[in-house]
Amino acid sequence: MRVLCVFPAAMPSSSRPPACLALVALFLAQLLHLSFSSHAGDRRPLPVDRAPGLKEKTLILLDVSTKNPVRTVSENFLSLQLDPSVIQDGWLDFLSSKRLVTLARGLSPAFLRFGGKRTDFLQFQNLRNPAKSRGGPGPDYYLKNYEDDIVRSDVALDKQKGCKIAQHPDVMLELQREKAAQMHLVLLKEQFSNTYSNLILTEPNNYRTIHGRAVNGSQLGKDYIQLKSLLQPIRIYSRASLYGPNIGRPRKNVIALLDGFMKVAGSTVDAVTWQHCSIDGRVVKVMDFLKTRLLDTLSDQIRKIQKVVNTYTPGKKIWLEGMVTTSAGGTNNLSDSYAAGFLWLNTLGMLANQGIDVVIRHSFFDHGYNHLVDQNFNPLPDYWLSLLYKRLIGPKVLAVHVAGLQRKPRPGRVIRDKLRIYAHCTNPHNHNYVRGSITLFIINLHRSRKKIKLAGTLRDKLVHQYLLQPYGQEGLKSKSVQLNGQPLVMVDDGTLPELKPRPLRAGRTLVIPPVTMGFYVVKNVNALACRYR
């Protein structure tokens, strides 16, 4: 209720119109009545009215289309990457750590991409028994030998040094730190000397820059066709999937390369792959992760890729491989902080919403600061964010309808949303929720809280809240997070903690704190799109 009463500045209080005083008295009485009736049991004071000239807070109405999904992505949508440096730098032993295995298992199911810059210098040779190679045996012979090696390695796994080390965390961590220090020196030497060994073909669009030679898209497409023909006669690879060309940011030259590749070999690959980096890690600041302009650059790149792909192979699946939030290995206390999660969660929502089938995060465990698990085997904020996403988000994407966010555009001004809302069917493998439930994940970049009223099919439904906030004194730079007010840490026995929701009363307005992100499971919606696979 709003009362408008104008008092002339020169009029004394005793001469104010009685009718106006009556309106004010009536308004105060109603306000007092509302404060007792609607806040029974809640002793918090009513919000103070804003001063004239300030914008009032808007109640946002939210509904979701539940009949049909707008997209369906892979069940392995959020997948992981490991760099070959784990072999060259001697980190492979540490992958047998019970703690790392537990963290990796939490993000299953997923694809595991073994790739990165070191792949450019990775060669495959079967040296288990060099004498077997004499006489030039065919590929099937090597393949059988390879399969035998896998069996032998499984049998001998418990005898390896890595498993013994994994039983002694203190010794393991000390060795890990030594490996990290050694590897850092190697990387610096390679970076400043600009010399590498075992020079072979790298990423096509970057080959010209590094080595002064170029491979065009048509030639690359012919190479993929030849690779496919070489794989088909080999029994285990005859039905293997092939992915490429793994291009970089879709600028003019890269788009030309992709166009030539798709024209020649578009039908050869099972999915078109590309890479994306959002921010230059050498100049990144904490507030960069909150800039909507940077959050939206990915959307334009997706459209450019899709335009070329659909020209030659409409409907072909597209994967984003090697996704990193910041380049140059990331920045300490930024790329591995709570703030980086805004960019990561928005990337997940945007990619699924625009039909990208799989996104592969670089990397799960490695050097640098873009990883999900640090060098001491502690999960970072992006890991907990990914874990919640895996537990709660299903592959079916739903359309979101929002009222109350519209603002009148100005000439020459682009309006970018600081409140991002995405909706999916709840993960059907999560037995805590029946089929037909819906999960929202919401990013609030505003410096004020936002109120969201669930409407339509979501009205008066029970909601489970999973609110992620930074933990500790570092704020947005914190490397620890809390879920619904409780810090997230691994249990002493090396297992993952229980992710407990905060139940909200049916029909209650969602209050999204400023500069936070969270998941909200709307229970028992009975959404038709989510009831069946």
Side-chain angles (χ1 to χ4, degrees):
M1 179 180 179
R2 178 177 296 180
V3 177
L4 180 60
C5 193
V6 180
F7 299 109
M11 182 180 293
S13 59
S14 59
S15 60
R16 288 175 181 172
C20 194
L21 291 177
L23 285 174
V24 173
L26 178 61
F27 168 70
L28 292 176
Q30 291 183 351
L31 186 62
L32 185 62
H33 172 72
L34 288 174
S35 66
F36 281 105
S37 60
S38 57
H39 290 267
D42 187 356
R43 299 301 181 185
R44 293 175 299 175
L46 286 172
V48 179
D49 290 339
R50 290 192 172 194
L54 294 179
K55 294 183 178 179
E56 295 185 357
K57 293 182 179 179
T58 303
L59 182 66
I60 299 162
L61 299 179
L62 171 65
D63 191 14
V64 173
S65 296
T66 59
K67 290 185 178 180
N68 296 295
V70 293
R71 300 277 190 277
T72 300
V73 298
S74 170
E75 289 196 351
N76 297 345
F77 173 74
L78 197 171
S79 290
L80 305 171
Q81 175 170 321
L82 279 177
D83 194 279
S85 60
V86 297
I87 292 179
Q88 183 168 344
D89 300 315
W91 288 24
L92 193 61
D93 288 339
F94 298 105
L95 296 183
S96 61
S97 160
K98 178 182 177 181
R99 188 179 179 94
L100 274 182
V101 170
T102 299
L103 291 169
R105 186 179 289 118
L107 299 182
S108 64
F111 294 113
L112 178 61
R113 179 177 186 257
F114 193 69
K117 292 183 178 179
R118 293 294 181 91
T119 311
D120 301 341
F121 315 104
L122 186 65
Q123 297 180 352
F124 295 92
Q125 292 182 353
N126 189 337
L127 297 179
R128 176 70 65 175
N129 187 349
K132 292 182 181 180
S133 62
R134 297 171 184 171
D140 284 333
Y141 180 88
Y142 286 112
L143 195 58
K144 178 62 170 60
N145 194 23
Y146 169 72
E147 292 169 343
D148 292 343
D149 289 345
I150 292 178
V151 174
R152 285 194 295 270
S153 64
D154 288 342
V155 172
L157 184 62
D158 291 334
K159 299 181 181 178
Q160 290 182 2
K161 180 181 64 174
C163 288
K164 295 180 180 178
I165 293 176
Q167 298 172 5
H168 306 283
D170 294 337
V171 176
M172 181 174 62
L173 290 177
E174 186 61 33
L175 290 175
Q176 178 71 352
R177 294 188 183 101
E178 292 178 6
K179 291 292 183 183
Q182 295 171 7
M183 185 204 63
H184 183 66
L185 293 176
V186 171
L187 291 177
L188 286 177
K189 182 179 178 180
E190 290 183 352
Q191 178 180 349
F192 290 109
S193 65
N194 199 29
T195 57
Y196 301 87
S197 58
N198 297 330
L199 184 62
I200 61 174
L201 179 65
T202 67
E203 291 172 23
N205 59 299
N206 204 33
Y207 197 64
R208 182 197 300 266
T209 303
I210 298 178
H211 306 296
R213 302 182 65 180
V215 177
N216 60 41
S218 299
Q219 180 58 54
L220 184 62
K222 294 176 182 177
D223 293 341
Y224 266 75
I225 293 174
Q226 184 177 4
L227 175 60
K228 189 77 170 181
S229 65
L230 292 174
L231 293 174
Q232 286 178 346
I234 304 176
R235 175 169 46 85
I236 197 171
Y237 292 136
S238 59
R239 291 182 292 178
S241 299
L242 191 62
Y243 305 95
N246 199 32
I247 60 172
R249 180 173 294 185
R251 294 171 177 166
K252 184 177 180 180
N253 292 338
V254 177
I255 289 294
L257 186 145
L258 178 61
D259 186 89
F261 177 86
M262 294 302 299
K263 185 176 181 180
V264 173
S267 59
T268 303
V269 292
D270 294 87
V272 178
T273 59
W274 61 297
Q275 297 189 10
H276 173 75
C277 177
S278 300
I279 305 176
D280 188 339
R282 296 167 295 184
V283 296
V284 66
K285 300 183 293 293
V286 66
M287 296 310 296
D288 289 341
F289 295 106
L290 309 183
K291 292 180 178 179
T292 55
R293 176 180 57 81
L294 289 176
L295 267 62
D296 289 339
T297 56
L298 178 60
S299 180
D300 182 57
Q301 294 186 27
I302 294 172
R303 287 191 292 268
K304 290 179 179 179
I305 297 290
Q306 288 175 331
K307 182 179 179 181
V308 177
V309 172
N310 291 330
T311 298
Y312 298 101
T313 55
K316 174 72 68 175
K317 292 181 179 180
I318 301 175
W319 288 17
L320 177 57
E321 289 189 343
M323 166 63 198
V324 293
T325 54
T326 50
S327 65
T331 304
N332 189 23
N333 297 323
L334 289 176
S335 308
D336 49 3
S337 69
Y338 174 85
F342 293 107
L343 191 56
W344 175 227
L345 186 58
N346 184 72
T347 296
L348 293 172
M350 187 174 289
L351 289 172
N353 205 48
Q354 293 188 230
I356 301 301
D357 195 52
V358 171
V359 54
I360 300 179
R361 171 63 187 253
H362 180 79
S363 67
F364 171 64
F365 168 74
D366 201 355
H367 63 276
Y369 305 100
N370 281 314
H371 41 227
L372 301 181
V373 179
D374 69 14
Q375 296 172 3
N376 295 323
F377 311 114
N378 295 315
L380 292 166
D382 274 7
Y383 175 85
W384 297 115
L385 192 62
S386 302
L387 181 65
L388 279 168
Y389 188 96
K390 279 287 188 180
R391 295 279 179 88
L392 301 174
I393 300 297
K396 293 183 178 180
V397 186
L398 304 176
V400 174
H401 305 288
V402 177
L405 280 179
Q406 291 82 0
R407 291 175 292 169
K408 186 176 181 180
R410 300 177 186 173
R413 179 185 178 187
V414 178
I415 295 179
R416 302 186 185 274
D417 294 329
K418 288 192 174 184
L419 186 68
R420 311 263 168 140
I421 305 174
Y422 301 96
H424 284 240
C425 294
T426 302
N427 187 344
H429 302 294
N430 190 324
H431 301 299
N432 294 323
Y433 302 105
V434 300
R435 288 182 181 269
S437 299
I438 290 175
T439 300
L440 309 168
F441 54 102
I442 302 175
I443 302 170
N444 182 17
L445 298 175
H446 290 277
R447 297 184 179 275
S448 60
R449 66 179 186 175
K450 294 299 173 183
K451 295 183 178 182
I452 300 177
K453 181 71 174 179
L454 301 183
T457 55
L458 309 183
R459 183 185 292 114
D460 298 330
K461 297 294 188 298
L462 293 173
V463 176
H464 277 183
Q465 173 186 271
Y466 298 83
L467 180 64
L468 277 175
Q469 294 175 289
Y471 179 74
Q473 302 298 320
E474 295 84 2
L476 293 177
K477 290 186 177 182
S478 176
K479 296 182 182 180
S480 301
V481 295
Q482 54 184 331
L483 177 65
N484 296 326
Q486 298 297 320
L488 282 175
V489 292
M490 293 191 72
V491 185
D492 292 338
D493 62 0
T495 59
L496 292 172
E498 184 180 357
L499 303 178
K500 296 181 179 179
R502 176 180 293 167
L504 304 180
R505 296 193 304 269
R508 182 177 179 180
T509 299
L510 304 182
V511 179
I512 315 299
V515 197
T516 55
M517 47 195 157
F519 297 80
Y520 299 83
V521 180
V522 188
K523 301 180 64 179
N524 305 325
V525 178
N526 199 25
L528 182 63
C530 307
R531 287 165 57 187
Y532 309 101
R533 285 187 177 273

